[in-house]
Amino acid sequence: MKSILKRLVFLLPLWGLGGCDNGFDELNVNKTAATTVDPAFILNNALVNVSPPSGVVIYEVGIVQQMVSPNSGVLTGANFNQDNRDNTQQTWQRYYRNVVRNTYDVILKAKALPSRTNLLSMARITQAYAFMVLTDTYGDIPYSQAAKGFTDQVVLPKYDTQQAIYTDIIKELTEATAVLDATKTIETADVLYSGDVAKWKKFGYSILLRVGMRLSKVDAAQAQSVVQKAIAGGLMTANTDNAAIKHDANYTNGPGQMLNSTEAANFYIGAPFADYLKKTNDPRLKSIAVRYVGAASGPEQVAAKATTDPAVQIGMPFGYDNSSIANVVKTAGLKSFYDFSQVDRTRLAKNQAPMFLVTYSQTQLLLAEAAQRGWTTGSVEDFYNKGVRAHMEQLATVDANAAVPAASIDSYLKENPFVAANALEQINTQYWIASFMNGPEAFANFRRSGFPKLTPNPFPGKGIKGDFIRRLTYPNSEISVNSANVKEAIARQGADDLDTKVWWDK
Protein backbone atom coordinates (compact mmCIF):
# COMPACT_ATOMS: atom_id res chain seq x y z
CA MET A 1 0.00 0.00 0.00
CA LYS A 2 2.79 2.40 0.88
CA SER A 3 4.44 1.57 -2.43
CA ILE A 4 1.27 2.45 -4.35
CA LEU A 5 0.88 5.73 -2.49
CA LYS A 6 4.46 6.67 -3.23
CA ARG A 7 3.89 6.06 -6.93
CA LEU A 8 0.71 8.17 -6.88
CA VAL A 9 2.52 11.03 -5.12
CA PHE A 10 5.22 10.88 -7.80
CA LEU A 11 2.82 10.68 -10.76
CA LEU A 12 0.34 13.37 -9.69
CA PRO A 13 2.73 16.31 -10.43
CA LEU A 14 3.59 14.80 -13.82
CA TRP A 15 -0.10 14.46 -14.62
CA GLY A 16 -0.57 18.08 -13.59
CA LEU A 17 2.23 19.20 -15.86
CA GLY A 18 0.76 17.32 -18.76
CA GLY A 19 -2.64 18.86 -18.07
CA CYS A 20 -1.19 22.39 -17.98
CA ASP A 21 0.29 21.86 -21.42
CA ASN A 22 -3.17 21.84 -22.97
CA GLY A 23 -3.86 25.34 -24.32
CA PHE A 24 -0.49 26.60 -23.01
CA ASP A 25 0.17 28.70 -26.11
CA GLU A 26 -3.28 30.28 -25.97
CA LEU A 27 -2.99 31.13 -22.30
CA ASN A 28 0.32 32.90 -22.85
CA VAL A 29 -0.79 35.10 -25.72
CA ASN A 30 -1.99 38.61 -24.84
CA LYS A 31 -5.15 38.82 -26.91
CA THR A 32 -5.45 42.59 -26.42
CA ALA A 33 -1.90 43.48 -27.44
CA ALA A 34 -1.26 44.88 -30.92
CA THR A 35 0.49 42.43 -33.23
CA THR A 36 1.16 45.08 -35.87
CA VAL A 37 1.50 48.87 -35.80
CA ASP A 38 0.16 51.11 -38.52
CA PRO A 39 3.31 52.58 -40.12
CA ALA A 40 1.64 56.02 -40.08
CA PHE A 41 2.07 56.01 -36.30
CA ILE A 42 5.73 55.04 -36.66
CA LEU A 43 6.18 58.01 -38.98
CA ASN A 44 4.54 60.24 -36.35
CA ASN A 45 7.14 59.07 -33.84
CA ALA A 46 9.84 60.12 -36.29
CA LEU A 47 8.21 63.50 -36.96
CA VAL A 48 7.85 64.35 -33.26
CA ASN A 49 11.53 63.58 -32.75
CA VAL A 50 12.67 65.75 -35.65
CA SER A 51 12.11 68.67 -33.27
CA PRO A 52 15.64 69.59 -32.08
CA PRO A 53 16.81 68.60 -28.59
CA SER A 54 17.76 71.01 -25.82
CA GLY A 55 21.46 70.81 -26.64
CA VAL A 56 21.05 73.08 -29.67
CA VAL A 57 20.76 76.02 -27.26
CA ILE A 58 24.19 75.19 -25.83
CA TYR A 59 25.82 74.93 -29.26
CA GLU A 60 24.06 76.00 -32.45
CA VAL A 61 22.00 78.85 -31.00
CA GLY A 62 25.06 80.05 -29.12
CA ILE A 63 27.37 79.82 -32.13
CA VAL A 64 25.16 82.27 -34.04
CA GLN A 65 25.07 84.45 -30.91
CA GLN A 66 21.34 84.45 -30.27
CA MET A 67 21.62 83.09 -26.73
CA VAL A 68 24.44 82.74 -24.24
CA SER A 69 25.16 81.47 -20.75
CA PRO A 70 28.08 82.62 -18.56
CA ASN A 71 28.08 79.25 -16.79
CA SER A 72 30.37 76.32 -17.56
CA GLY A 73 30.12 72.70 -16.44
CA VAL A 74 27.24 70.99 -18.23
CA LEU A 75 26.67 74.18 -20.24
CA THR A 76 30.19 74.33 -21.64
CA GLY A 77 29.91 74.76 -25.38
CA ALA A 78 29.52 77.70 -27.74
CA ASN A 79 29.70 80.18 -24.86
CA PHE A 80 33.33 79.15 -24.36
CA ASN A 81 34.07 77.89 -27.91
CA GLN A 82 34.98 74.55 -26.35
CA ASP A 83 34.14 70.95 -27.19
CA ASN A 84 31.67 69.13 -24.96
CA ARG A 85 30.69 65.83 -26.55
CA ASP A 86 27.91 65.23 -24.04
CA ASN A 87 26.11 68.12 -25.72
CA THR A 88 27.32 67.75 -29.32
CA GLN A 89 25.94 64.20 -29.44
CA GLN A 90 22.33 65.12 -28.64
CA THR A 91 21.15 65.67 -32.23
CA TRP A 92 23.04 62.58 -33.38
CA GLN A 93 21.44 60.30 -30.80
CA ARG A 94 17.95 61.73 -31.20
CA TYR A 95 17.93 61.63 -34.98
CA TYR A 96 19.49 58.21 -35.50
CA ARG A 97 17.56 56.46 -32.72
CA ASN A 98 14.19 58.12 -33.05
CA VAL A 99 13.96 59.58 -36.55
CA VAL A 100 16.07 57.64 -39.07
CA ARG A 101 15.35 54.27 -37.45
CA ASN A 102 11.62 54.94 -37.68
CA THR A 103 11.56 56.46 -41.18
CA TYR A 104 13.56 53.50 -42.47
CA ASP A 105 11.04 51.13 -40.87
CA VAL A 106 8.14 53.03 -42.46
CA ILE A 107 9.81 52.97 -45.87
CA LEU A 108 10.25 49.19 -45.70
CA LYS A 109 6.64 48.65 -44.61
CA ALA A 110 5.11 51.14 -47.05
CA LYS A 111 6.93 49.60 -50.03
CA ALA A 112 4.87 46.46 -49.40
CA LEU A 113 1.61 48.46 -49.38
CA PRO A 114 0.91 49.60 -52.97
CA SER A 115 -2.09 51.68 -51.90
CA ARG A 116 -0.03 53.79 -49.50
CA THR A 117 2.43 55.51 -51.81
CA ASN A 118 1.81 58.83 -50.09
CA LEU A 119 2.99 57.40 -46.78
CA LEU A 120 6.14 56.14 -48.49
CA SER A 121 6.82 59.60 -49.93
CA MET A 122 6.20 61.29 -46.58
CA ALA A 123 8.70 58.97 -44.89
CA ARG A 124 11.32 59.58 -47.59
CA ILE A 125 10.91 63.37 -47.29
CA THR A 126 11.18 63.23 -43.50
CA GLN A 127 14.25 61.02 -43.69
CA ALA A 128 15.91 63.32 -46.24
CA TYR A 129 15.30 66.29 -43.95
CA ALA A 130 16.82 64.43 -40.98
CA PHE A 131 19.91 63.37 -42.92
CA MET A 132 20.41 66.92 -44.16
CA VAL A 133 20.47 68.21 -40.57
CA LEU A 134 22.87 65.43 -39.54
CA THR A 135 25.38 65.90 -42.34
CA ASP A 136 25.22 69.71 -42.07
CA THR A 137 25.98 69.39 -38.37
CA TYR A 138 28.67 66.67 -38.31
CA GLY A 139 29.99 66.23 -41.87
CA ASP A 140 30.49 62.65 -43.07
CA ILE A 141 27.93 60.38 -41.39
CA PRO A 142 26.41 56.89 -41.71
CA TYR A 143 23.88 57.17 -44.55
CA SER A 144 23.60 54.28 -47.01
CA GLN A 145 23.97 51.71 -44.21
CA ALA A 146 22.18 53.65 -41.48
CA ALA A 147 19.31 51.93 -39.60
CA LYS A 148 20.16 48.52 -41.09
CA GLY A 149 21.22 46.89 -37.84
CA PHE A 150 18.03 44.85 -37.50
CA THR A 151 17.20 44.21 -41.16
CA ASP A 152 20.70 43.54 -42.49
CA GLN A 153 22.73 43.09 -39.29
CA VAL A 154 24.89 46.10 -40.20
CA VAL A 155 25.73 47.23 -36.68
CA LEU A 156 28.85 49.19 -37.62
CA PRO A 157 27.72 51.32 -40.57
CA LYS A 158 30.21 52.97 -42.87
CA TYR A 159 30.32 56.76 -43.19
CA ASP A 160 29.33 58.30 -46.53
CA THR A 161 30.82 61.52 -47.87
CA GLN A 162 28.76 64.67 -47.55
CA GLN A 163 28.75 65.18 -51.30
CA ALA A 164 27.37 61.67 -51.89
CA ILE A 165 24.75 62.22 -49.19
CA TYR A 166 23.62 65.49 -50.75
CA THR A 167 23.40 63.85 -54.18
CA ASP A 168 21.08 61.19 -52.78
CA ILE A 169 19.06 63.66 -50.70
CA ILE A 170 18.34 65.61 -53.90
CA LYS A 171 17.21 62.38 -55.60
CA GLU A 172 15.04 61.35 -52.64
CA LEU A 173 13.33 64.72 -52.31
CA THR A 174 12.79 65.04 -56.06
CA GLU A 175 11.34 61.55 -56.51
CA ALA A 176 9.32 61.36 -53.30
CA THR A 177 7.72 64.78 -53.66
CA ALA A 178 6.85 64.30 -57.34
CA VAL A 179 4.82 61.12 -56.74
CA LEU A 180 2.66 62.49 -53.92
CA ASP A 181 -0.87 62.03 -55.20
CA ALA A 182 -4.13 63.32 -53.70
CA THR A 183 -6.07 60.55 -55.48
CA LYS A 184 -4.24 57.90 -53.43
CA THR A 185 -4.78 56.97 -49.76
CA ILE A 186 -4.70 60.10 -47.58
CA GLU A 187 -2.76 59.54 -44.35
CA THR A 188 -5.05 61.45 -42.01
CA ALA A 189 -3.20 60.21 -38.91
CA ASP A 190 -0.14 62.30 -39.92
CA VAL A 191 0.73 64.79 -37.14
CA LEU A 192 2.42 67.30 -39.43
CA TYR A 193 -0.18 68.08 -42.10
CA SER A 194 -2.98 65.54 -41.43
CA GLY A 195 -2.09 63.92 -44.72
CA ASP A 196 -2.64 67.08 -46.79
CA VAL A 197 -0.83 66.11 -50.00
CA ALA A 198 -0.60 69.69 -51.32
CA LYS A 199 1.17 70.83 -48.14
CA TRP A 200 3.51 67.85 -48.13
CA LYS A 201 4.45 68.72 -51.71
CA LYS A 202 5.23 72.30 -50.73
CA PHE A 203 7.23 71.02 -47.77
CA GLY A 204 9.27 68.65 -49.93
CA TYR A 205 10.04 71.24 -52.60
CA SER A 206 10.82 73.92 -50.00
CA ILE A 207 13.39 71.57 -48.42
CA LEU A 208 14.77 71.01 -51.92
CA LEU A 209 15.13 74.79 -52.35
CA ARG A 210 17.09 74.88 -49.07
CA VAL A 211 19.29 72.02 -50.32
CA GLY A 212 19.99 73.89 -53.54
CA MET A 213 20.91 77.11 -51.77
CA ARG A 214 23.21 75.18 -49.44
CA LEU A 215 25.37 74.43 -52.51
CA SER A 216 25.77 78.09 -53.50
CA LYS A 217 29.47 78.27 -52.60
CA VAL A 218 30.57 74.75 -53.49
CA ASP A 219 28.78 74.22 -56.84
CA ALA A 220 26.84 77.21 -58.16
CA ALA A 221 25.74 75.42 -61.33
CA GLN A 222 24.20 72.51 -59.45
CA ALA A 223 22.74 74.91 -56.89
CA GLN A 224 20.95 76.81 -59.63
CA SER A 225 19.64 73.60 -61.21
CA VAL A 226 18.26 72.28 -57.91
CA VAL A 227 16.74 75.65 -57.00
CA GLN A 228 14.94 75.85 -60.33
CA LYS A 229 13.65 72.31 -59.93
CA ALA A 230 12.26 73.17 -56.49
CA ILE A 231 10.59 76.35 -57.73
CA ALA A 232 9.00 74.50 -60.65
CA GLY A 233 7.62 71.91 -58.22
CA GLY A 234 5.84 74.48 -56.07
CA LEU A 235 6.95 76.07 -52.79
CA MET A 236 5.25 77.24 -49.61
CA THR A 237 2.92 80.16 -50.30
CA ALA A 238 1.70 81.16 -46.82
CA ASN A 239 2.35 80.61 -43.12
CA THR A 240 -0.37 77.95 -43.17
CA ASP A 241 2.13 75.82 -45.12
CA ASN A 242 4.79 76.01 -42.37
CA ALA A 243 6.27 72.70 -41.27
CA ALA A 244 6.00 73.01 -37.49
CA ILE A 245 6.20 70.24 -34.92
CA LYS A 246 3.48 70.83 -32.36
CA HIS A 247 4.17 70.09 -28.71
CA ASP A 248 2.05 69.30 -25.68
CA ALA A 249 2.50 68.17 -22.08
CA ASN A 250 3.73 64.75 -23.21
CA TYR A 251 5.93 65.85 -26.13
CA THR A 252 7.56 69.09 -25.07
CA ASN A 253 9.69 71.52 -27.03
CA GLY A 254 13.32 70.48 -26.24
CA PRO A 255 14.85 73.94 -25.80
CA GLY A 256 11.68 75.14 -24.08
CA GLN A 257 11.75 72.25 -21.63
CA MET A 258 15.34 73.03 -20.65
CA LEU A 259 14.76 76.78 -20.42
CA ASN A 260 11.76 76.22 -18.15
CA SER A 261 13.45 73.80 -15.77
CA THR A 262 17.10 73.18 -14.93
CA GLU A 263 18.51 76.13 -16.89
CA ALA A 264 15.68 78.62 -16.46
CA ALA A 265 17.95 81.26 -14.96
CA ASN A 266 21.10 80.40 -16.88
CA PHE A 267 20.50 81.46 -20.50
CA TYR A 268 20.17 85.01 -21.83
CA ILE A 269 19.59 86.69 -25.16
CA GLY A 270 22.96 87.39 -26.75
CA ALA A 271 23.93 91.03 -27.04
CA PRO A 272 24.52 90.80 -30.83
CA PHE A 273 20.95 89.55 -31.35
CA ALA A 274 19.27 91.97 -28.92
CA ASP A 275 21.34 94.93 -30.14
CA TYR A 276 20.51 94.28 -33.79
CA LEU A 277 16.79 94.14 -33.04
CA LYS A 278 17.01 97.32 -30.95
CA LYS A 279 19.09 99.18 -33.53
CA THR A 280 16.54 98.53 -36.26
CA ASN A 281 13.56 99.16 -33.98
CA ASP A 282 12.39 95.64 -34.73
CA PRO A 283 8.97 94.93 -33.17
CA ARG A 284 9.92 91.28 -32.78
CA LEU A 285 12.06 92.15 -29.77
CA LYS A 286 8.90 92.79 -27.76
CA SER A 287 7.55 89.39 -28.86
CA ILE A 288 10.73 87.51 -28.02
CA ALA A 289 12.33 89.07 -24.95
CA VAL A 290 11.61 89.55 -21.29
CA ARG A 291 13.77 91.17 -18.64
CA TYR A 292 13.38 90.68 -14.90
CA VAL A 293 14.53 94.13 -13.90
CA GLY A 294 16.59 94.19 -10.71
CA ALA A 295 16.69 90.39 -10.26
CA ALA A 296 19.58 89.41 -7.99
CA SER A 297 19.07 85.67 -8.41
CA GLY A 298 17.09 83.09 -10.31
CA PRO A 299 14.29 82.94 -7.71
CA GLU A 300 13.88 86.72 -8.11
CA GLN A 301 12.95 86.32 -11.78
CA VAL A 302 9.27 86.71 -11.00
CA ALA A 303 6.33 88.20 -12.88
CA ALA A 304 6.38 91.36 -10.77
CA LYS A 305 9.83 92.23 -12.14
CA ALA A 306 9.12 91.18 -15.74
CA THR A 307 8.94 93.64 -18.62
CA THR A 308 8.76 93.12 -22.39
CA ASP A 309 9.41 96.80 -23.14
CA PRO A 310 11.99 96.79 -25.99
CA ALA A 311 13.58 99.99 -24.69
CA VAL A 312 14.87 98.34 -21.50
CA GLN A 313 16.04 95.00 -22.93
CA ILE A 314 19.75 94.33 -22.47
CA GLY A 315 21.49 91.41 -24.17
CA MET A 316 24.36 89.57 -22.50
CA PRO A 317 27.72 89.98 -24.27
CA PHE A 318 29.88 87.00 -25.25
CA GLY A 319 33.35 86.27 -23.90
CA TYR A 320 32.64 86.08 -20.16
CA ASP A 321 32.19 83.41 -17.53
CA ASN A 322 30.14 83.70 -14.34
CA SER A 323 33.07 85.41 -12.63
CA SER A 324 34.24 87.91 -15.25
CA ILE A 325 30.65 88.84 -16.19
CA ALA A 326 30.51 90.70 -12.86
CA ASN A 327 32.51 93.56 -14.38
CA VAL A 328 30.02 93.89 -17.22
CA VAL A 329 27.14 93.81 -14.75
CA LYS A 330 28.70 96.62 -12.74
CA THR A 331 29.42 98.78 -15.79
CA ALA A 332 25.87 98.32 -17.07
CA GLY A 333 24.42 99.25 -13.69
CA LEU A 334 22.60 95.92 -13.32
CA LYS A 335 21.80 94.11 -10.10
CA SER A 336 23.38 90.84 -11.29
CA PHE A 337 23.66 88.81 -14.49
CA TYR A 338 20.13 87.59 -13.75
CA ASP A 339 19.11 91.13 -14.75
CA PHE A 340 19.94 90.58 -18.46
CA SER A 341 17.17 89.87 -20.98
CA GLN A 342 15.99 86.35 -21.66
CA VAL A 343 13.83 84.63 -24.25
CA ASP A 344 10.36 84.78 -22.74
CA ARG A 345 9.67 81.37 -21.23
CA THR A 346 5.93 82.01 -21.26
CA ARG A 347 5.81 82.64 -25.02
CA LEU A 348 8.49 81.68 -27.57
CA ALA A 349 10.39 79.41 -25.18
CA LYS A 350 7.44 77.77 -23.47
CA ASN A 351 7.25 73.98 -23.15
CA GLN A 352 4.48 73.68 -25.70
CA ALA A 353 5.83 76.12 -28.29
CA PRO A 354 5.90 74.68 -31.81
CA MET A 355 9.26 74.07 -33.45
CA PHE A 356 9.41 75.42 -37.00
CA LEU A 357 11.45 73.23 -39.35
CA VAL A 358 10.83 74.91 -42.71
CA THR A 359 8.76 78.07 -43.08
CA TYR A 360 7.19 80.31 -45.68
CA SER A 361 9.33 83.15 -44.34
CA GLN A 362 12.59 81.25 -44.81
CA THR A 363 11.46 80.11 -48.24
CA GLN A 364 10.72 83.65 -49.40
CA LEU A 365 14.12 84.84 -48.16
CA LEU A 366 15.88 82.03 -50.01
CA LEU A 367 13.92 82.98 -53.12
CA ALA A 368 15.12 86.55 -52.64
CA GLU A 369 18.71 85.33 -52.66
CA ALA A 370 18.08 83.06 -55.64
CA ALA A 371 16.62 86.00 -57.55
CA GLN A 372 19.58 88.17 -56.52
CA ARG A 373 21.89 85.52 -57.96
CA GLY A 374 19.89 85.38 -61.18
CA TRP A 375 18.69 81.83 -60.59
CA THR A 376 15.00 82.70 -60.77
CA THR A 377 12.74 85.51 -61.91
CA GLY A 378 10.80 87.88 -59.68
CA SER A 379 11.55 90.93 -57.58
CA VAL A 380 14.27 90.44 -54.98
CA GLU A 381 12.71 93.20 -52.90
CA ASP A 382 9.25 91.65 -53.04
CA PHE A 383 10.56 88.25 -51.93
CA TYR A 384 12.53 89.95 -49.15
CA ASN A 385 9.60 91.98 -47.85
CA LYS A 386 7.29 88.96 -47.92
CA GLY A 387 9.86 86.94 -45.97
CA VAL A 388 10.25 89.55 -43.24
CA ARG A 389 6.51 90.11 -42.98
CA ALA A 390 5.79 86.38 -42.85
CA HIS A 391 8.10 85.82 -39.90
CA MET A 392 6.59 88.69 -37.94
CA GLU A 393 3.12 87.27 -38.62
CA GLN A 394 4.32 83.77 -37.74
CA LEU A 395 5.00 84.81 -34.13
CA ALA A 396 1.27 85.02 -33.43
CA THR A 397 0.97 81.29 -34.19
CA VAL A 398 3.39 80.57 -31.33
CA ASP A 399 1.51 82.61 -28.76
CA ALA A 400 -1.22 85.23 -29.07
CA ASN A 401 0.77 87.50 -26.75
CA ALA A 402 3.69 87.41 -29.19
CA ALA A 403 1.66 88.80 -32.11
CA VAL A 404 3.21 91.72 -34.00
CA PRO A 405 0.64 94.38 -35.00
CA ALA A 406 0.25 94.90 -38.76
CA ALA A 407 1.01 98.60 -38.39
CA SER A 408 4.31 97.77 -36.67
CA ILE A 409 5.27 95.50 -39.54
CA ASP A 410 4.53 98.21 -42.07
CA SER A 411 6.55 100.75 -40.08
CA TYR A 412 9.52 98.41 -39.78
CA LEU A 413 9.68 97.76 -43.52
CA LYS A 414 9.40 101.47 -44.21
CA GLU A 415 12.12 102.38 -41.69
CA ASN A 416 14.41 99.53 -42.81
CA PRO A 417 13.99 99.40 -46.60
CA PHE A 418 15.61 96.82 -48.82
CA VAL A 419 18.86 98.10 -50.34
CA ALA A 420 19.97 96.22 -53.45
CA ALA A 421 23.66 96.95 -52.80
CA ASN A 422 23.41 95.09 -49.47
CA ALA A 423 21.05 92.38 -50.69
CA LEU A 424 22.88 89.23 -49.55
CA GLU A 425 23.65 90.66 -46.12
CA GLN A 426 20.11 91.92 -45.55
CA ILE A 427 18.49 88.72 -46.79
CA ASN A 428 20.63 86.39 -44.69
CA THR A 429 20.52 88.57 -41.60
CA GLN A 430 16.75 88.34 -41.79
CA TYR A 431 17.09 84.58 -42.27
CA TRP A 432 19.07 84.54 -39.02
CA ILE A 433 16.13 86.17 -37.24
CA ALA A 434 13.52 84.02 -39.02
CA SER A 435 15.36 80.86 -37.89
CA PHE A 436 15.41 81.86 -34.22
CA MET A 437 15.05 78.80 -31.95
CA ASN A 438 15.87 76.41 -34.84
CA GLY A 439 19.56 76.25 -34.00
CA PRO A 440 20.69 73.74 -36.65
CA GLU A 441 19.24 75.79 -39.51
CA ALA A 442 20.49 79.14 -38.21
CA PHE A 443 23.97 77.61 -37.78
CA ALA A 444 23.98 76.07 -41.26
CA ASN A 445 22.88 79.21 -43.08
CA PHE A 446 25.34 81.35 -41.13
CA ARG A 447 28.21 79.14 -42.31
CA ARG A 448 26.91 79.05 -45.87
CA SER A 449 26.22 82.75 -46.31
CA GLY A 450 28.67 84.39 -43.91
CA PHE A 451 25.86 86.56 -42.53
CA PRO A 452 25.02 88.17 -40.23
CA LYS A 453 28.39 89.82 -39.68
CA LEU A 454 29.20 88.72 -36.16
CA THR A 455 32.24 89.56 -34.07
CA PRO A 456 34.00 86.36 -32.95
CA ASN A 457 33.39 85.34 -29.37
CA PRO A 458 36.49 86.68 -27.52
CA PHE A 459 36.46 84.18 -24.64
CA PRO A 460 40.15 83.83 -23.65
CA GLY A 461 40.14 80.07 -23.12
CA LYS A 462 38.58 79.12 -26.44
CA GLY A 463 39.25 75.67 -27.84
CA ILE A 464 39.14 76.57 -31.53
CA LYS A 465 41.75 77.95 -33.89
CA GLY A 466 39.36 79.87 -36.15
CA ASP A 467 36.86 82.61 -35.44
CA PHE A 468 33.75 80.43 -35.21
CA ILE A 469 32.82 76.79 -34.64
CA ARG A 470 32.32 75.15 -38.06
CA ARG A 471 30.86 71.73 -37.14
CA LEU A 472 30.07 69.58 -34.11
CA THR A 473 32.14 66.56 -33.10
CA TYR A 474 31.20 62.88 -33.23
CA PRO A 475 29.79 61.20 -30.10
CA ASN A 476 32.15 59.26 -27.86
CA SER A 477 29.97 56.19 -28.37
CA GLU A 478 30.71 56.25 -32.10
CA ILE A 479 34.41 56.74 -31.55
CA SER A 480 34.63 53.80 -29.16
CA VAL A 481 32.26 51.35 -30.90
CA ASN A 482 32.42 52.22 -34.61
CA SER A 483 36.02 53.39 -34.46
CA ALA A 484 37.29 52.02 -37.80
CA ASN A 485 34.58 53.80 -39.79
CA VAL A 486 34.95 56.99 -37.75
CA LYS A 487 38.70 57.02 -38.37
CA GLU A 488 38.13 56.57 -42.09
CA ALA A 489 35.75 59.55 -42.12
CA ILE A 490 38.19 61.70 -40.15
CA ALA A 491 41.05 60.81 -42.50
CA ARG A 492 38.88 61.90 -45.41
CA GLN A 493 37.28 65.09 -44.14
CA GLY A 494 39.72 66.37 -41.54
CA ALA A 495 40.21 66.39 -37.78
CA ASP A 496 37.27 65.57 -35.53
CA ASP A 497 37.22 69.00 -33.94
CA LEU A 498 35.14 72.18 -33.99
CA ASP A 499 37.32 73.82 -36.68
CA THR A 500 36.92 71.37 -39.56
CA LYS A 501 34.53 72.65 -42.21
CA VAL A 502 31.75 70.63 -43.79
CA TRP A 503 31.87 70.02 -47.53
CA TRP A 504 29.77 72.96 -48.71
CA ASP A 505 31.32 75.47 -46.28
CA LYS A 506 33.91 77.15 -48.52
Side-chain angles (χ1 to χ4, degrees), residues 403-471:
V404 179
S408 297
I409 300 175
D410 293 338
S411 295
Y412 177 81
L413 291 172
K414 185 176 180 180
E415 293 170 11
N416 300 274
F418 175 75
V419 179
N422 301 326
L424 292 181
E425 180 177 0
Q426 276 190 284
I427 291 165
N428 286 289
T429 299
Q430 287 296 328
Y431 197 93
W432 174 57
I433 302 170
S435 301
F436 184 63
M437 297 301 286
N438 183 342
E441 182 55 24
F443 178 40
N445 198 67
F446 169 64
R447 287 174 289 162
R448 178 194 72 85
S449 69
F451 298 111
K453 291 181 178 178
L454 299 173
T455 301
N457 179 353
F459 187 77
K462 70 178 185 177
I464 59 174
K465 300 180 183 70
D467 290 335
F468 294 95
I469 293 171
R470 309 309 295 190
R471 66 179 281 273

Side-chain angles (χ1 to χ4, degrees), residues 481-501:
V481 176
N482 197 13
S483 57
N485 287 314
V486 173
K487 288 177 182 177
E488 182 183 349
I490 293 170
R492 186 170 56 226
Q493 74 175 1
D496 182 28
D497 58 29
L498 303 175
D499 283 294
T500 296
K501 292 184 176 182

Side-chain angles (χ1 to χ4, degrees), residues 46-53 94-95 99 125-126 129-130 132-133 191-193 200 203 206-207 210 214 236 241-247 253 354-360 362-363 366 394 431 434-442:
L47 285 167
V48 167
N49 283 287
V50 166
S51 187
R94 185 182 183 100
Y95 271 42
V99 182
I125 291 168
T126 305
Y129 175 88
M132 183 181 178
V133 172
V191 296
L192 186 59
Y193 290 123
W200 268 98
F203 177 41
S206 296
I207 302 173
R210 181 181 287 183
R214 208 72 105 224
M236 292 178 173
D241 296 328
N242 288 343
I245 303 302
K246 302 175 182 67
H247 296 98
N253 180 301
M355 178 60 73
F356 294 92
L357 307 178
V358 180
T359 67
Y360 171 55
Q362 293 169 327
T363 301
L366 291 180
Q394 175 187 310
Y431 197 93
S435 301
F436 184 63
M437 297 301 286
N438 183 342
E441 182 55 24

Side-chain angles (χ1 to χ4, degrees), residues 4 8 40 53 59 65 202 228 245 249 278 283 296 314 318-319 321 328 366 368 374 376:
I4 293 171
L8 285 172
Y59 268 100
Q65 301 186 0
K202 293 177 183 179
Q228 290 174 345
I245 303 302
K278 287 185 75 171
I314 303 174
F318 281 74
D321 58 22
V328 180
L366 291 180
T376 189

Side-chain angles (χ1 to χ4, degrees), residues 36-295:
T36 60
V37 178
D38 188 325
F41 298 133
I42 301 174
L43 178 60
N44 283 344
N45 195 345
L47 285 167
V48 167
N49 283 287
V50 166
S51 187
S54 61
V56 301
V57 177
I58 298 170
Y59 268 100
E60 291 96 317
V61 175
I63 296 168
V64 298
Q65 301 186 0
Q66 293 175 332
M67 276 193 261
V68 63
S69 172
N71 299 319
S72 56
V74 296
L75 300 184
T76 297
N79 48 334
F80 300 126
N81 275 326
Q82 294 174 355
D83 197 6
N84 180 350
R85 291 177 195 255
D86 286 339
N87 290 322
T88 61
Q89 73 171 343
Q90 286 194 26
T91 298
W92 181 287
Q93 303 288 18
R94 185 182 183 100
Y95 271 42
Y96 275 115
R97 292 176 180 178
N98 301 319
V99 182
V100 173
R101 180 175 65 86
N102 284 315
T103 52
Y104 182 70
D105 192 17
V106 175
I107 289 168
L108 290 180
K109 287 179 166 61
K111 282 181 177 177
L113 301 169
S115 65
R116 302 184 75 176
T117 55
N118 285 331
L119 179 64
L120 175 59
S121 287
M122 290 154 58
R124 291 173 72 185
I125 291 168
T126 305
Q127 183 166 275
Y129 175 88
F131 275 125
M132 183 181 178
V133 172
L134 284 166
T135 192
D136 287 350
T137 303
Y138 299 98
D140 290 10
I141 56 169
Y143 181 77
S144 58
Q145 293 184 349
K148 293 186 177 180
F150 179 74
T151 57
D152 299 78
Q153 288 72 58
V154 179
V155 295
L156 300 174
K158 70 174 186 178
Y159 282 50
D160 295 87
T161 67
Q162 299 152 59
Q163 185 171 4
I165 293 167
Y166 255 78
T167 298
D168 202 62
I169 285 174
I170 292 168
K171 178 187 77 69
E172 285 293 289
L173 288 171
T174 303
E175 292 178 359
T177 309
V179 298
L180 284 164
D181 188 346
T183 68
K184 300 293 178 62
T185 302
I186 302 300
E187 303 293 339
T188 55
D190 152 42
V191 296
L192 186 59
Y193 290 123
S194 299
D196 189 319
V197 168
K199 289 185 177 181
W200 268 98
K201 273 186 173 287
K202 293 177 183 179
F203 177 41
Y205 285 122
S206 296
I207 302 173
L208 189 62
L209 172 67
R210 181 181 287 183
V211 171
M213 294 305 296
R214 208 72 105 224
L215 306 179
S216 60
K217 288 193 294 188
V218 71
D219 190 338
Q222 186 184 24
Q224 180 176 356
S225 174
V226 174
V227 165
Q228 290 174 345
K229 188 181 299 184
I231 293 170
L235 305 170
M236 292 178 173
T237 56
N239 275 331
T240 51
D241 296 328
N242 288 343
I245 303 302
K246 302 175 182 67
H247 296 98
D248 59 21
N250 296 311
Y251 300 98
T252 57
N253 180 301
Q257 192 278 330
M258 182 180 75
L259 295 173
N260 277 281
S261 55
T262 55
E263 311 306 336
N266 291 328
F267 276 94
Y268 296 83
I269 294 179
F273 191 62
D275 291 350
Y276 184 82
L277 297 180
K278 287 185 75 171
K279 179 181 70 175
T280 56
N281 197 26
D282 194 317
R284 285 172 288 193
L285 184 58
K286 183 176 177 60
S287 301
I288 292 170
V290 64
R291 183 177 159 218
Y292 297 95
V293 179

